[in-house]
Amino acid sequence: MRPAPRFGVDGSYLPGSNQPIRASMPSPRDEIDITGRSYTSDLQESHVPRSYVIRTSFNDDWQFRPKVNPFAELAGTAVPFEPVIVPHDAMITRDREATTDGAATAYFPGGAYEYRKTFLMPEEHRGKRIMLEFEGVYRDATVFINGNYAGQRPYGYSRFYIDADRFLRFGENNEVRVECRTHQDSRWYSGAGIYRDTWLLVGEVVRISPDGVRVTTPDIDAERAVVEVATTIENDSNDLRTVELVIEIRDAAGTVVASDTAPITVQPHEPAIGRQRIYVRDPALWSPDSPALYTCVVSITDIDAMEVAFGIRSLRLDPEHGLRINGETVKLRGACVHHDNGPLGAATFAQAEERRVRLLKNAGFNAIRMSHHPMSTAMLDACDRLGMLVVDEAFDMWTWSKSPFDYSLDFPEWWERDIEAMVAKDDNHPSVVLYSLGNEIPETGTATGAAWGRRLAEKVRALDDTRFLTNGINNLLALLPDLRVQEGDDTGINTLMADSGFDVNAVAGSDLVTTRTAESYSVLDVAGMNYSEIRYATDRTLFPNRIILGTETFPPRIDNNWRLVKQHSHVIGDFTWTGWDYLGEVGVGRPQYATPDTPRPTFMAPYPYLLADCGDIDITGHRLPVSYYRQIVFGLRAQPYLAVQRPQHHGKAVISSRWAWSDTIASWTWPGHESAPIIVEVYSDADDVELLVNGRSLGRKPVGEQHRFRTEFEITYEPGELVAIAYRDGVESGRDILRTATGPIVLHAAPDRPVITVDVGDLAYITLTLVDSAETVHTAADRPVRVDISGDGTLIGFGSADPANKKGFNSIEHHTYQGRALAVVKPTAPGTIRLTATAPDCDQAEVLVTVEKPAR
């Protein structure tokens, strides 16, 4: 195996193996971090060998400012630094601008930014190997240590390491400085800055490589599982070293269930890989329904130790059974998601990622496609724990640009290193079942594009042959050179796709697409298709060995798409656009109504639109009607669901895009529309549903799969109680109720958890709701709400799901939207956080959240 060089041409650290692996470094004893503060490892002393490696959070004590021209600064143009805590989104607090080209990034401006941090490096660390780890910096990151160029990374979604010890002054203060910039380089809200976690790694000259433990499970049966552990050891000394490599496999309770010891000799400056096969008896298998995790603890006796979590599970794929996990066929109920966390912008906190995964799973999804870039480590960890399958995606572009200054400018030089970083990050995560090479790559319809796809595919397979490969191919884009857009259409192909009058499937199913994409699909294990369900049946005949995944589909078509997924064994799932609403691509899913000036839908909305307004779940975590409809289609909800079309638009011609659901909310509170016509939608898999208003039946209508799981009642609005009763074989099978909010408005505040910790990445989510005395939400009584935080926490995001809000998420006052708002608080120390919320004509609401030290 060819070892990688220790330093790349960019100055960044390259692990010693060409198969980099994700790992976390344990420290079971008290350590002194670089600031001189003591900390204790998360691992119990009895569970982990003694470790001589320190891996500490590097998130505190950063300073930030817009990048300053050094010559202008010498001339007296001073821009002060301000303190920030990483993860930090440099873009989310910027004032938005109503520009003609800003819709993709929610009208946030680009910019150049500068971070710096001063830290003491103890004298006792002299002679050790010291690295900085950046999980994500958007974009074009350049790192300096004590004024010296130390490394760079153009791609904003790759984790990278910087070798720091050669630039450090021991026993003195040191400065690390990070520059980054973003400008017309993304088709969605990217955020900016050091938006993911940072870490300091301090190790011995002989040590386990930072991504140096790779765990695979190549052979599994009911009696035992073969666990193969490949450990990369580095030796930066000038001596030949023979060390003892000890491996322990621990179950969820911390009990050692298997172990092995072997010597390994490491040549000077030449990495060595120790490969040990270990046998776990009666293995608990990881699956979406039972996400059992093990811990692999690897140690070099008295020198170094590292632990990684992993799952024991098998993957199989064929056209007759589709995707099988542990021998059972699994259909992917998928959600495409972008990486922003709503009011937090792009800042990636572990608790934010876990909350998002948990809510998506509760809504019926069992898979996430990270669109369109590698997923964060924190979200992967959450998917492992909660049992969410992952399609991790490498790029949104290859050599053809989609934005004027996007990653295509760096792709030819950097793609290999970025593929290596993605695979290294994902290696030990059982949730990752598919790698996606890209999204809607226009080159896939060309011979050179197919050649690029083959090159990427073989690179991934050389690094990790245990998972499958796909590519989200838009068959319409594959014919891009042949398409002629109407003159004056400034949004091009997206407008065509949005317009229900344009038949996307007719193009996707054409013979020309069949010919143009044949090679690009042939390099994959799974043919990822965006908006091309017409090919599901025909490709079974044309390409009998082709396995298909709907990598991106229109939300209103889920009933037909899911029927096709169930009907065809070679179609393994469906991924909707999108599972969670997001910043940028503003208004793609907004309700639109015809006017003389706008007879067709437009793709994106003008300022002040902020959100895509397209998702099963809004940016605050509130489930929307389409979410419940999808859950019924999936066969996961027996109860009917009521949604009501906004009466102010009754009778208007709907021209919303294909990404839009109907303009409905789950509310029976419509003041000012008494006695006016209103349309009530009912979703159900039952035979028929009955609608009652204030106990009076308005009749029954058929529903269920033959009627697309939905029906409508056009009635007159009458405040009170609205009830839908579902019947199966003439017997009631469930009901749903909406009630009108009445009486005084109460401002209610509730935390997602009463106790949080000061651990890295933990947050408190506090929901603010306008309700009546029966806790019915006042969806029509929106008003400004102000929040104040005291005690051991700080407000890091506050807002609502209003898709066109002008106020920034760093404001302490926001209007509710449909009666709801959300505050996100970061703990600063053990103790108590007090949130006080006030709103006009409401009593003050107060919440207390306890902050504890992390459990050890």
Side-chain angles (χ1 to χ4, degrees):
M1 184 175 292
R2 175 180 59 86
R6 183 160 178 269
F7 304 113
V9 294
D10 59 336
S12 62
Y13 180 87
L14 297 178
S17 167
N18 69 349
Q19 286 191 322
I21 302 103
R22 184 195 71 87
S24 62
M25 295 185 180
S27 181
R29 57 190 172 88
D30 286 351
E31 301 286 3
I32 304 298
D33 73 6
I34 56 169
T35 61
R37 293 179 299 222
S38 174
Y39 79 98
T40 305
S41 165
D42 290 342
L43 306 173
Q44 296 294 329
E45 181 80 36
S46 60
H47 290 178
V48 181
R50 180 175 171 85
S51 171
Y52 290 87
V53 172
I54 305 172
R55 185 176 190 265
T56 55
S57 172
F58 206 56
N59 288 345
D60 293 340
D61 303 321
W62 286 90
Q63 294 181 316
F64 160 82
R65 69 177 181 180
K67 178 71 176 75
V68 175
N69 182 316
F71 299 103
E73 194 166 33
L74 286 173
T77 304
V79 178
F81 280 91
E82 61 181 79
V84 295
I85 296 176
V86 168
H88 175 256
D89 184 353
M91 184 182 287
I92 194 66
T93 58
R94 297 283 304 274
D95 291 332
R96 297 194 296 147
E97 302 171 351
T99 57
T100 57
D101 58 356
T105 55
Y107 301 103
F108 283 94
Y113 308 100
E114 184 177 13
Y115 293 80
R116 72 180 184 188
K117 173 172 176 163
T118 301
F119 59 97
L120 174 68
M121 182 55 61
E123 179 63 37
E124 58 264 30
H125 288 339
R126 187 184 296 275
K128 296 183 184 293
R129 313 307 294 142
I130 300 167
M131 287 178 288
L132 300 178
E133 176 185 338
F134 294 88
E135 292 194 14
V137 181
Y138 202 89
R139 183 182 178 278
D140 284 320
T142 307
V143 181
F144 301 87
I145 299 176
N146 293 327
N148 301 293
Y149 167 84
Q152 66 186 95
R153 196 70 174 217
Y155 197 35
Y157 301 105
S158 284
R159 184 185 60 178
F160 62 98
Y161 297 95
I162 297 293
D163 187 18
D165 49 11
R166 51 192 169 145
F167 303 117
L168 294 173
R169 297 189 292 260
F170 294 90
E172 302 179 31
N173 282 329
N174 295 262
E175 183 189 71
V176 59
R177 183 164 55 87
V178 179
E179 295 181 1
C180 53
R181 55 201 53 79
T182 177
H183 174 64
Q184 295 183 27
D185 53 27
S186 180
R187 298 189 304 116
W188 55 83
Y189 179 85
S190 63
I194 308 176
Y195 70 99
R196 290 179 179 170
D197 286 321
T198 61
W199 304 90
L200 177 82
L201 282 66
V202 180
E204 303 296 329
V205 291
V206 177
R207 67 198 178 281
I208 302 170
S209 180
D211 286 318
V213 177
R214 185 185 189 217
V215 184
T216 56
T217 56
D219 185 1
I220 304 169
D221 61 30
E223 294 180 358
R224 92 290 181 267
V226 177
V227 177
E228 185 173 286
V229 182
T231 307
T232 301
I233 308 296
E234 297 187 343
N235 179 7
D236 287 333
S237 76
N238 293 323
D239 301 317
L240 183 74
R241 299 287 294 272
T242 299
V243 297
E244 189 173 66
L245 191 59
V246 180
I247 295 177
E248 291 183 346
I249 306 297
R250 300 178 182 273
D251 63 15
T255 303
V256 176
V257 295
S259 62
D260 189 59
T261 301
I264 179 170
T265 299
V266 194
Q267 297 279 357
H269 309 291
E270 182 179 319
I273 296 177
R275 196 175 301 273
Q276 291 154 276
R277 287 168 64 89
I278 305 172
Y279 301 88
V280 175
R281 312 296 174 184
D282 301 318
L285 302 186
W286 188 98
S287 71
D289 295 328
S290 181
L293 291 174
Y294 288 84
T295 301
C296 177
V297 181
V298 181
S299 63
I300 307 171
T301 304
D302 295 327
I303 297 176
D304 193 4
M306 184 177 292
E307 75 163 17
V308 297
F310 72 98
I312 298 175
R313 58 107 175 95
S314 66
L315 300 178
R316 298 173 69 183
L317 188 69
D318 64 70
E320 284 69 42
H321 300 93
L323 175 66
R324 284 184 284 179
I325 300 177
N326 304 326
E328 299 291 330
T329 296
V330 175
K331 296 288 190 178
L332 301 182
R333 305 187 303 268
C336 296
V337 297
H338 275 321
H339 74 299
D340 73 76
N341 275 300
L344 303 181
T348 304
F349 293 89
Q351 181 58 32
E353 302 287 69
E354 171 135 351
R355 176 177 181 265
R356 193 152 48 132
V357 173
R358 184 177 66 254
L359 293 177
L360 285 166
K361 184 155 190 181
N362 290 344
F365 294 109
N366 68 358
I368 291 174
R369 175 188 176 216
M370 180 48 67
S371 312
H372 307 285
H373 40 70
M375 183 180 282
S376 72
T377 298
M379 181 171 274
L380 287 171
D381 289 339
C383 290
D384 289 346
R385 288 190 297 269
L386 299 174
M388 182 71 81
L389 301 172
V390 172
V391 178
D392 208 9
E393 198 150 75
F395 309 115
D396 185 50
M397 70 290 294
W398 294 347
T399 60
W400 291 15
S401 67
K402 295 181 178 180
S403 303
F405 303 101
D406 63 21
Y407 177 72
S408 65
L409 300 173
D410 302 295
F411 175 84
E413 180 180 352
W414 284 87
W415 70 270
E416 281 194 275
R417 281 167 284 187
D418 290 322
I419 287 287
E420 289 168 354
M422 179 180 72
V423 174
K425 171 180 62 67
D426 292 2
D427 247 330
N428 296 315
H429 290 279
S431 56
V432 180
V433 295
L434 283 153
Y435 293 118
S436 172
L437 304 178
N439 169 69
E440 297 187 341
I441 305 297
E443 299 101 300
T444 51
T446 69
T448 55
W452 267 112
R454 191 179 305 279
R455 188 177 293 125
L456 268 70
E458 292 310 308
K459 176 66 177 182
V460 174
R461 289 184 177 115
L463 296 168
D464 182 2
D465 62 358
T466 69
R467 295 176 171 94
F468 303 116
L469 296 182
T470 189
N471 190 357
I473 295 177
N474 185 318
N475 289 302
L476 186 64
L477 273 178
L479 302 184
L480 189 61
D482 303 276
L483 295 175
R484 296 292 178 266
V485 180
Q486 294 181 2
E487 184 177 355
D489 187 344
D490 61 354
T491 49
I493 195 169
N494 286 317
T495 293
L496 290 178
M497 291 182 65
D499 192 343
S500 59
F502 176 75
D503 193 344
V504 177
N505 267 316
V507 177
S510 67
D511 292 340
L512 188 56
V513 164
T514 301
T515 303
R516 289 283 183 85
T517 61
E519 185 177 3
S520 284
Y521 283 128
S522 73
V523 308
L524 306 169
D525 303 310
V526 176
M529 295 188 180
N530 289 9
Y531 311 107
S532 300
E533 62 270 17
I534 195 173
R535 300 202 66 95
Y536 293 0
T538 58
D539 279 13
R540 179 65 167 172
T541 302
L542 292 173
F543 304 95
N545 294 313
R546 179 176 286 179
I547 298 166
I548 295 174
L549 175 62
T551 38
E552 195 167 312
T553 62
F554 295 117
R557 293 185 178 179
I558 183 56
D559 61 315
N560 177 66
N561 291 348
W562 196 245
R563 177 180 55 80
L564 293 173
V565 171
K566 292 190 296 181
Q567 178 182 344
H568 296 290
S569 61
H570 69 290
V571 181
I572 64 173
D574 176 278
F575 282 79
T576 188
W577 193 265
T578 61
W580 195 283
D581 199 11
Y582 57 98
L583 304 172
E585 291 186 316
V586 295
V588 299
R590 73 195 187 280
Q592 297 186 63
Y593 299 93
T595 69
D597 296 329
T598 56
R600 296 170 51 205
T602 56
F603 178 54
M604 286 192 271
Y607 180 84
Y609 246 85
L610 173 71
L611 306 178
D613 207 1
C614 173
D616 280 30
I617 302 175
D618 72 26
I619 65 165
T620 69
H622 176 65
R623 290 179 64 185
L624 302 176
V626 62
S627 173
Y628 294 92
Y629 176 80
R630 187 182 312 279
Q631 196 173 24
I632 289 168
V633 171
F634 285 155
L636 301 175
R637 178 185 169 93
Q639 301 296 106
Y641 186 80
L642 280 164
V644 181
Q645 295 184 15
R646 300 173 197 271
Q648 60 266 39
H649 299 301
H650 186 273
K652 296 180 182 178
V654 178
I655 58 166
S656 302
S657 79
R658 300 174 203 247
W659 290 282
W661 190 247
S662 60
D663 189 8
T664 54
I665 64 173
S667 174
W668 196 235
T669 303
W670 301 100
H673 294 277
E674 291 78 6
S675 301
I678 195 168
I679 293 177
V680 176
E681 299 180 3
V682 185
Y683 314 144
S684 176
D685 63 353
D687 300 327
D688 52 15
V689 292
E690 181 182 15
L691 190 70
L692 292 82
V693 174
N694 295 326
R696 185 175 71 256
S697 176
L698 301 181
R700 292 192 186 188
K701 288 192 176 183
V703 67
E705 185 171 6
Q706 299 303 313
H707 300 273
R708 301 194 63 190
F709 301 98
R710 59 195 295 181
T711 190
E712 294 182 357
F713 292 83
E714 183 168 10
I715 64 175
T716 299
Y717 175 60
E718 178 183 321
E721 183 178 78
L722 182 71
V723 180
I725 304 175
Y727 296 91
R728 187 173 282 109
D729 297 326
V731 178
E732 179 180 336
S733 59
R735 61 176 58 198
D736 192 26
I737 301 174
L738 294 176
R739 295 184 177 90
T740 304
T742 59
I745 298 172
V746 177
L747 177 59
H748 182 259
D752 62 336
R753 296 171 298 149
V755 179
I756 62 175
T757 73
V758 289
D759 206 357
V760 175
D762 206 359
L763 302 171
Y765 279 81
I766 300 171
T767 301
L768 300 161
T769 317
L770 301 174
V771 298
D772 66 8
S773 58
E775 297 191 359
T776 301
V777 179
H778 267 283
T779 55
D782 287 321
R783 61 199 57 204
V785 175
R786 177 189 174 96
V787 296
D788 292 289
I789 304 295
S790 60
D792 301 296
T794 183
L795 184 70
I796 62 170
F798 179 45
S800 72
D802 184 352
N805 192 1
K806 289 184 177 181
K807 189 165 285 189
F809 293 119
N810 58 332
S811 174
I812 63 171
E813 183 176 291
H814 267 274
H815 261 77
T816 56
Y817 180 69
Q818 296 174 8
R820 297 177 175 88
L822 180 72
V824 188
V825 179
K826 185 179 186 304
T828 55
T832 302
I833 299 171
R834 183 186 303 272
L835 178 142
T836 303
T838 56
D841 303 319
C842 295
D843 291 337
Q844 175 178 288
E846 186 175 279
V847 162
L848 294 178
V849 176
T850 301
V851 183
E852 296 181 347
K853 293 180 179 179
R856 296 304 183 190

